[in-house]
Amino acid sequence: MRFGIIVFPGSNCDSDCYHALRDVMGQDVRYVWHKESDISDVDCVVLPGGFSYGDYLRCGAIARFSPVMQSVQDFAEMGKPIIGICNGFQILTEAGLLPGALIRNRELKFICQPQYIRVEHNRSMFTNMCQDRQVLNVPIAHGEGNYVADEATLERLEANGQVIFRYCDAQGECTNEANPNGSMHNIAGIMNEKGNVLGMMPHPERVCDPILGGTDGRLIFGSIVEWAERRIANAK
Amino acid sequence: MPSKQRWDEVGLTENEYRMIIDILGREPNDLELNLYGVMWSEHCGYKHSRAMLKMFPTSGPRILQGPGENAGIVDIGDGLAVCMKVESHNHPSALEPYQGAATGMGGIIRDIFTMGSRPVALLDSLKFGPLDNPRSRYLMDGIVSGIAGYGNCIGIPTVAGEVGFDPCYTGNPLVNAMCVGLIRHDEIQRGAAAGVGNSVMIVGHTTGRDGMGGASFASVEITAESEERRSAVQVGDPFMEKLLLEACLELFKTGCVVGIQDMGAAGIISSTCETAARAGTGIELDVALVPKRETGMTPTEVMISESQERMLVIVEKGREQEVYDIFDKWGLHAVVIGHVTDDGMLRVLDNGVKVGEVPAKSLAEAPVYRPGYEKPAYIDELAAFDPLTLPLPDDMNDVLLKLLASPDICSKRWVYRQYDYMVRTDTALPPGSDAAVVRIKGTHKAIALTIDSNGRYSYLDPYKGGAIAVAEAARNIVCSGALPIAITDCLNFGTPEKPDIYWQFRESIMGMAEACRALDTPVISGNVSFYNETDRGAIYPTPTVGMAGVMEDVKHITTQAFKKDGDAIVLLGETKEELGASQFLNIIYGMQKGKVPDINLEKESSVQKATLKAIQEGIISSAHDCSDGGLAIALAESCISGRKGAYVNLKFGIRTDALLFGESQSRILISLKPEYLDKLFVICESFGVPCQVIGTVYGDRLNVDVNGNKVVQLPVEEMKDKWEGTIPAYMNRR
Amino acid sequence: MTAKINVTLKKSIMDPQGTAVKDAALSMGFDAVDDVRIGKHIEVKIKDGVSREEAEKQVELLCQKLLANPVMENFSFEITED
């Protein structure tokens, strides 16, 4: 399958995603410049991390008006997979493709560290290769990853199983101490209602190559590939 | 006497003013005088350091570019090279910590990609006053945030660094930023304005009044008056620099770039006269063509503005369109402001009217001074102190915990957690070990990087301090599994016109130079920061050494962490009864005196070679440099990093405190499987390196016996808590 | 009383945030926009019983010492009755 990595001015994890998907996962990948509008040749859109437009004003606030974002909206409506990582997650919430918002970390500091996250369930195109409640080690690196939403939204997210990753400790307990940034309900990643748009603060592309200390990121990208292949097989 | 004010106003001396008249054959006009004032400032002209810097070894078979360009370049084989430089931003950071540090990062990053190189790593060496001072905490908080804000946004990982504290840095913090890039030999760009008729372009940001005169500002001591000189503050724009970086690297691929130079200190003036001087050409430019963001700027203001994120590019005549196309794609300015001439003159026009004309070379070559120097009286006085006259402490557990918790030695996680050290997915060995390791995708190779300094040693004995700074950096590189290949240096000193300061400067350079020769690590780039003085006096002489090493295979990556119960712990090198100048004296007795530990560079080299050989043979589980706090701290850190305990049994004929906490040089603590011991002995024998099995990795406590007495018994968790708690306890205060 | 404080960058200080917002506004077709400068708006609630004179004195100092960095920012404020 072919992944399309959207490059905004100021994206800086675009080449990391490219390397992880092509050289480690063995997939077809291309960069999509933010001014492009035709993305019909890609099967999965990746919004990479970084500081699009310097993250000036608000994280992701300016990027959502890039020309390519209209195509990304359409792509989402078609039910095709979209994964927004870190700044990509922020852009998806600003664009209204995911509910809620990401505000400054509880400690008001940028945090870069290895991080345990719990897979809430494996009935999604992003987690089908994981076990239910599996603990993954996927690092975080952000200044504004503190997930907030109103009570009704949170209830809906929980009821629909849209909360897919939660910050936890090594044993999988989602305690306050294990919450690095103050996110409500320890939320590290959520999906839209249809389950084809994922936003997550942790960086799976940073744990694909074993020399970097882990390979848990492969489970997430691998799940997307697995889902796409199954769909093609079913179509036949 | 109007002419007296003229040279004073631009910070020059009467004699220098006379020299300008000799060069021009007439009185300079105001614009011209300002150009000389900026270019002949200490910051741009290196007036007081240039003669001394010649003592450094700067060449070798691996060196592709030594000092004199935007950054140095060293070969790492297979057509690849490392480009690096370290630079200070002390004075701007003292005034506006966030922006001062941020623009420091911006400047050093531009130096690297100007050479055609893709920046892959940042490092920094920071020094502050004691943390119980609120001003020190304010500066540390702002400076760390500024580094993080810039580096994280532009997407270059900050992979290593050091943070130190001493009252001498109160009010004059040190911010030394280092950037490292990778480059193929055939991609190297140079800062020369060659080819008469070629176009001179300015690309990137617009030019404003910000940072006006920062170069001359950095060349004076910080006083209440300079704190009022607000215009010296520049604002960093990492987003703009990210675009500039990508656009420049794309531009180089077209082959239309003849020369390129960062507009750092002194902006247009320094970049034009330096590029022209290097090529032996001249440049004619029109300030009216420079894109400005403020109205009513005078030609002088345009010439000396220090607006950030700008570059001077010399482009082959007729190929300007290629530049416009690429910069337009990235949404950046690119404007022709002049052309290269053959008359060696820097000619400044304003709307076609000549407003100044001086020989370019004369601006780029400031006068060279060799100030007088004299050994300060304190040196012999402080060295005469014998620490062995102090009583032996009765509780070594307590001493060890105090050292672990001291700000200099304790964990710096609070700092590096704010840096994105993983972006680019090449950081194979993250912060927290002796050196960071950055792998090179598509190869088996990696580079190891470190940055080190020791102001206390340099204060007490600048010669040894300089040599030890280089030796320790190399030891750190070796412990990570790499071969040290080159250094970049940042020399932070007081006022050079003072004979005792100049003596410190001279001794430091001689010590560093000797170590660079002995360890085969030439100096490829660097920076001098003088006038680091406040009302309270000069900082300690602080030469900072940034070093790169090469590793042929990432499988040799080694960390300081103990790995496995049952591994043997071995100490390489000699332990002498040396407590002078140690952290032990500093922290336990509040004394900064005594004799700095001896350093024998031949022995140093042998220890490093033996360690590297053993690592390359694959027999080493962990390696850690014995430095601040001595053997006991090295043991504790290896235990903490590995979450492992150790049983150590020492039999030495020296005092227990000197044995545990003395800082004898050229020692490396390693652990390995017992079955490899024989192989290790053979290697050590062949290099003539003393080697002693001192214990075993085991359990969850550090136990140290000395001559049969139990002197240290501490749970690893307790040591870890002490080691990790200090900085958060200070900084998270509200 | 409430002190309504505005902290803005001095005119000679570059404002990358403002520039990015301006560029975005122009690209979205807001062609009336000439320039954008971004600052901070801070509201400080004053304790009951404090005189207006004392409040003004303290807010002025608060701005100088904490809320604005005089190296690069200007400030202005007004104190309003709640």
Side-chain angles (χ1 to χ4, degrees):
Chain A
M1 70 182 291
R2 174 182 266 188
F3 287 81
I5 299 169
I6 315 273
V7 183
F8 298 99
S11 293
N12 65 30
C13 300
D14 44 346
S15 62
D16 299 353
C17 289
Y18 191 93
H19 168 73
L21 288 166
R22 191 192 66 171
D23 301 336
V24 182
M25 304 300 295
Q27 298 300 308
D28 187 9
V29 194
R30 83 167 176 99
Y31 290 118
V32 179
W33 185 239
H34 68 116
K35 287 185 176 159
E36 286 184 42
S37 53
D38 183 2
I39 52 170
S40 57
D41 61 316
V42 307
D43 307 301
C44 173
V45 162
V46 181
L47 291 111
F51 288 71
S52 56
Y53 296 92
D55 273 355
Y56 299 147
L57 194 60
R58 291 186 312 280
C59 300
I62 300 179
R64 65 164 287 214
F65 292 109
S66 278
V68 75
M69 285 307 290
Q70 185 54 53
S71 311
V72 172
Q73 294 265 6
D74 299 342
F75 198 88
E77 271 161 38
M78 285 186 270
K80 295 184 187 176
I82 297 176
I83 171 168
I85 301 162
C86 199
N87 194 227
F89 186 9
Q90 293 161 343
I91 295 169
L92 289 172
T93 59
E94 281 282 343
L97 284 166
L98 289 173
L102 294 143
I103 63 169
R104 284 188 80 184
N105 294 346
R106 180 164 53 183
E107 289 172 47
L108 306 180
K109 299 258 179 252
F110 191 96
I111 301 173
C112 176
Q113 63 182 28
Q115 179 67 48
Y116 291 115
I117 56 172
R118 190 174 77 191
V119 177
E120 292 299 295
H121 64 79
N122 62 7
R123 305 177 306 281
S124 88
M125 61 175 82
F126 306 104
T127 55
N128 58 58
M129 285 178 76
C130 305
Q131 308 293 317
D132 268 351
R133 306 252 146 174
Q134 185 174 349
V135 174
L136 308 181
N137 195 344
V138 185
I140 55 168
H142 58 248
E144 308 190 25
N146 183 350
Y147 184 81
V148 294
D150 58 50
E151 268 311 311
T153 305
L154 282 173
E155 257 174 51
R156 207 170 58 239
L157 287 175
E158 295 288 1
N160 293 345
Q162 287 171 248
V163 176
I164 193 78
F165 300 117
R166 259 189 251 273
Y167 300 114
C168 66
D169 60 22
Q171 286 72 45
E173 298 302 323
C174 297
T175 61
N176 190 40
E177 291 69 44
N179 184 345
N181 53 25
S183 288
M184 290 179 164
H185 295 207
N186 280 40
I187 285 173
I190 55 167
M191 299 184 298
N192 64 347
E193 222 171 303
K194 265 198 260 175
N196 67 315
V197 178
L198 165 71
M200 63 189 296
M201 289 313 294
H203 286 271
E205 79 279 10
R206 296 186 180 188
V207 273
C208 287
D209 204 335
I211 193 172
L212 303 174
T215 55
D216 285 353
R218 292 182 190 185
L219 292 172
I220 295 168
F221 292 129
S223 292
I224 303 173
V225 176
E226 170 76 19
W227 173 85
E229 278 168 3
R230 224 185 293 151
R231 213 169 69 128
I232 292 163
N234 289 345
K236 281 174 189 163
Chain B
M1 291 199 7
S3 60
K4 181 167 188 257
Q5 289 168 342
R6 290 201 80 194
W7 59 76
D8 278 344
E9 268 170 23
V10 297
L12 296 178
T13 64
E14 179 174 0
N15 201 31
E16 287 167 342
Y17 187 73
R18 302 273 162 238
M19 289 169 75
I20 296 168
I21 292 177
D22 278 350
I23 290 165
L24 300 180
R26 60 177 166 84
E27 298 254 341
N29 66 25
D30 282 346
L31 171 90
E32 292 163 343
L33 184 59
N34 267 289
L35 302 186
Y36 281 104
V38 168
M39 290 309 298
W40 287 10
S41 68
E42 189 60 47
H43 188 72
C44 290
Y46 289 80
K47 287 188 284 198
H48 291 96
S49 59
R50 227 175 328 142
M52 282 297 143
L53 297 176
K54 292 218 165 80
M55 289 198 282
F56 281 139
T58 58
S59 58
R62 283 183 184 270
I63 308 306
L64 303 177
Q65 176 66 58
E69 268 285 352
N70 286 291
I73 299 181
V74 55
D75 180 23
I76 56 167
D78 300 333
L80 291 168
V82 164
C83 177
M84 66 176 182
K85 189 177 182 186
V86 60
E87 206 164 66
S88 65
H89 233 220
N90 307 339
H91 294 97
S93 305
L95 274 192
E96 213 307 299
Y98 185 96
Q99 295 297 347
T103 50
M105 304 316 279
I108 196 68
I109 293 167
R110 281 196 301 286
D111 277 331
I112 298 306
F113 71 80
T114 304
M115 298 301 293
S117 171
R118 158 85 57 188
V120 298
L122 293 168
L123 298 89
D124 46 73
S125 166
L126 310 177
K127 305 276 177 179
F128 303 100
L131 282 176
D132 49 17
N133 178 332
R135 177 78 188 168
S136 299
R137 295 201 296 274
Y138 164 77
L139 288 173
M140 174 151 149
D141 196 67
I143 286 167
V144 171
S145 300
I147 293 169
Y150 208 100
N152 297 351
C153 181
I154 198 168
I156 304 169
T158 299
V159 298
E162 60 158 6
V163 189
F165 304 90
D166 193 279
C168 76
Y169 304 110
T170 306
N172 194 129
L174 299 189
V175 178
N176 292 179
M178 169 173 165
C179 185
V180 181
L182 282 175
I183 190 168
R184 299 199 59 83
H185 294 187
D186 55 11
E187 292 171 336
I188 298 174
Q189 301 287 329
R190 297 265 151 76
V196 174
N198 282 336
S199 288
V200 175
M201 302 182 78
I202 183 167
V203 301
H205 240 312
T206 47
T207 298
R209 287 196 181 89
D210 48 345
M212 197 64 72
S216 43
F217 170 72
S219 307
V220 293
E221 295 169 29
I222 296 178
T223 61
E225 188 206 346
S226 68
E227 286 207 25
E228 290 295 320
R229 287 181 61 175
R230 307 306 192 200
S231 67
V233 175
Q234 310 141 11
V235 174
D237 185 350
F239 170 56
M240 170 62 77
E241 181 137 319
K242 165 76 173 163
L243 305 183
L244 188 60
L245 156 68
E246 297 300 339
C248 284
L249 292 180
E250 199 173 321
L251 180 65
F252 296 146
K253 292 210 171 79
T254 65
C256 72
V257 176
V258 177
I260 179 163
Q261 172 96 2
D262 165 38
M263 290 197 193
I268 297 180
I269 173 61
S270 66
S271 56
T272 49
C273 74
E274 282 169 13
T275 49
R278 281 196 200 108
T281 56
I283 285 180
E284 178 178 299
L285 68 94
D286 194 328
V287 291
L289 299 173
V290 175
K292 301 172 205 61
R293 61 166 162 270
E294 288 180 73
T295 51
M297 289 182 74
T298 66
T300 304
E301 287 177 326
V302 174
M303 290 300 288
I304 68 175
S305 160
E306 297 193 352
S307 290
Q308 299 286 296
E309 291 94 18
R310 299 178 302 160
M311 290 279 198
L312 189 83
V313 188
I314 318 296
V315 179
E316 228 174 90
K317 176 113 194 101
R319 298 184 67 179
E320 297 82 1
Q321 192 58 43
E322 295 170 53
V323 184
Y324 297 141
D325 289 346
I326 289 171
F327 278 74
D328 189 52
K329 175 187 157 195
W330 291 96
L332 298 173
H333 290 279
V335 176
V336 175
I337 58 166
H339 61 271
V340 179
T341 66
D342 62 358
D343 61 7
M345 303 301 278
L346 180 71
R347 197 153 37 248
V348 184
L349 312 179
D350 185 9
N351 260 317
V353 179
K354 189 167 87 179
V355 291
E357 183 175 43
V358 300
K361 219 177 156 101
S362 71
L363 283 174
E365 289 175 1
V368 173
Y369 296 127
R370 295 162 193 273
Y373 51 87
E374 195 187 341
K375 186 174 175 181
Y378 79 81
I379 295 275
D380 290 335
E381 235 168 75
L382 295 179
F385 173 72
D386 179 6
L388 300 179
T389 57
L390 295 169
L392 194 67
D394 22 85
D395 186 350
M396 295 300 175
N397 286 319
D398 183 53
V399 172
L400 179 53
L401 290 176
K402 278 195 178 125
L403 285 176
L404 278 173
S406 70
D408 277 346
I409 291 175
C410 74
S411 167
K412 305 302 184 299
R413 182 167 176 268
W414 183 91
V415 175
Y416 67 73
R417 195 168 88 126
Q418 296 184 52
Y419 303 148
D420 188 343
Y421 55 81
M422 301 183 274
V423 64
R424 294 189 54 79
T425 55
D426 291 326
T427 312
L429 186 52
S433 220
D434 285 358
V437 176
V438 176
R439 60 100 178 245
I440 302 172
K441 287 192 185 98
T443 73
H444 294 293
K445 280 181 195 284
I447 51 174
L449 303 167
T450 187
I451 188 163
D452 284 290
S453 64
N454 191 324
R456 198 177 54 256
Y457 285 179
S458 293
Y459 171 66
L460 293 171
D461 187 336
Y463 187 96
K464 277 192 204 166
I468 288 173
V470 175
E472 192 188 327
R475 228 179 289 139
N476 286 337
I477 296 287
V478 163
C479 286
S480 73
L483 173 72
I485 52 173
I487 78 161
T488 176
D489 66 294
C490 192
L491 307 173
N492 306 277
F493 288 81
T495 301
E497 289 90 345
K498 297 180 184 167
D500 52 337
I501 301 284
Y502 207 72
W503 182 84
Q504 294 173 338
F505 182 64
R506 189 172 174 271
E507 290 283 312
S508 296
I509 288 184
M510 291 194 297
M512 292 170 78
E514 194 201 340
C516 287
R517 273 188 215 99
L519 302 174
D520 209 6
T521 53
V523 178
I524 62 168
S525 59
N527 162 248
V528 179
S529 172
F530 282 133
Y531 304 104
N532 290 287
E533 302 206 7
T534 63
D535 307 341
R536 283 176 294 270
I539 59 159
Y540 284 169
T542 312
T544 303
V545 175
M547 188 177 279
V550 62
M551 192 182 295
E552 289 304 327
D553 195 321
V554 289
K555 71 178 188 218
H556 296 140
I557 292 175
T558 305
T559 72
Q560 66 183 28
F562 285 149
K563 301 291 180 313
K564 205 165 179 287
D565 282 355
D567 275 1
I569 302 172
V570 179
L571 181 63
L572 305 188
E574 262 175 84
T575 303
K576 296 184 252 175
E577 202 162 41
E578 293 176 307
L579 270 179
S582 63
Q583 280 289 8
F584 168 78
L585 277 192
N586 182 30
I587 292 155
I588 305 301
Y589 291 98
M591 290 178 175
Q592 305 200 349
K593 47 185 166 176
K595 207 164 145 275
V596 171
D598 282 329
I599 174 123
N600 177 322
L601 291 162
E602 251 172 69
K603 288 184 180 170
E604 178 71 51
S605 172
S606 303
V607 168
Q608 293 186 16
K609 283 180 179 151
T611 305
L612 193 55
K613 172 96 172 138
I615 288 174
Q616 286 167 345
E617 292 207 352
I619 62 172
I620 299 296
S621 304
S622 75
H624 189 19
D625 164 37
C626 279
S627 60
D628 265 19
L631 175 61
I633 290 296
L635 282 165
E637 287 174 343
S638 291
C639 286
I640 293 169
S641 309
R643 306 279 169 92
K644 292 267 170 224
Y647 280 91
V648 176
N649 203 339
L650 302 172
K651 289 193 182 68
F652 283 83
I654 63 176
R655 262 172 66 142
T656 304
D657 48 2
L659 174 58
L660 293 177
F661 306 112
E663 296 174 7
S664 286
Q665 293 297 303
S666 316
R667 294 184 301 163
I668 291 175
L669 182 72
I670 61 179
S671 71
L672 72 173
K673 290 196 179 122
E675 58 263 40
Y676 292 145
L677 278 171
D678 286 343
K679 277 190 178 174
L680 180 71
F681 295 151
V682 172
I683 292 170
C684 287
E685 174 99 39
S686 71
F687 287 98
V689 169
C691 144
Q692 206 171 345
V693 180
I694 59 168
T696 307
V697 175
Y698 182 76
D700 55 10
R701 296 170 73 86
L702 173 62
N703 294 286
V704 182
D705 293 3
V706 175
N707 301 328
N709 301 314
K710 296 186 189 311
V711 296
V712 173
Q713 289 181 300
L714 287 168
V716 174
E717 276 304 307
E718 186 182 347
M719 295 195 296
K720 178 172 165 290
D721 289 347
K722 286 278 180 200
W723 181 70
E724 285 182 344
T726 305
I727 293 185
Y730 277 114
M731 301 305 292
N732 297 344
R733 271 185 201 174
R734 286 280 178 255
Chain C
M1 287 181 290
T2 301
K4 294 184 175 166
I5 302 160
N6 283 312
V7 178
T8 51
L9 283 174
K10 284 186 177 169
K11 218 176 152 206
S12 63
I13 299 286
M14 185 180 76
D15 178 11
Q17 277 206 67
T19 308
V21 172
K22 180 186 85 177
D23 292 347
L26 291 177
S27 74
M28 288 166 73
F30 293 100
D31 55 10
V33 174
D34 181 26
D35 197 12
V36 178
R37 304 280 289 174
I38 294 181
K40 294 188 190 100
H41 177 81
I42 301 155
E43 297 198 352
V44 175
K45 188 110 180 59
I46 305 292
K47 275 184 189 153
D48 289 341
V50 174
S51 73
R52 174 172 281 268
E53 196 186 16
E54 179 61 20
E56 271 177 12
K57 205 175 97 194
Q58 288 207 17
V59 170
E60 172 85 27
L61 270 177
L62 177 67
C63 288
Q64 278 174 21
K65 289 202 180 294
L66 178 67
L67 300 180
N69 180 352
V71 173
M72 52 192 285
E73 290 166 329
N74 290 322
F75 61 85
S76 63
F77 63 86
E78 59 167 343
I79 295 184
T80 56
E81 300 294 336
D82 294 328

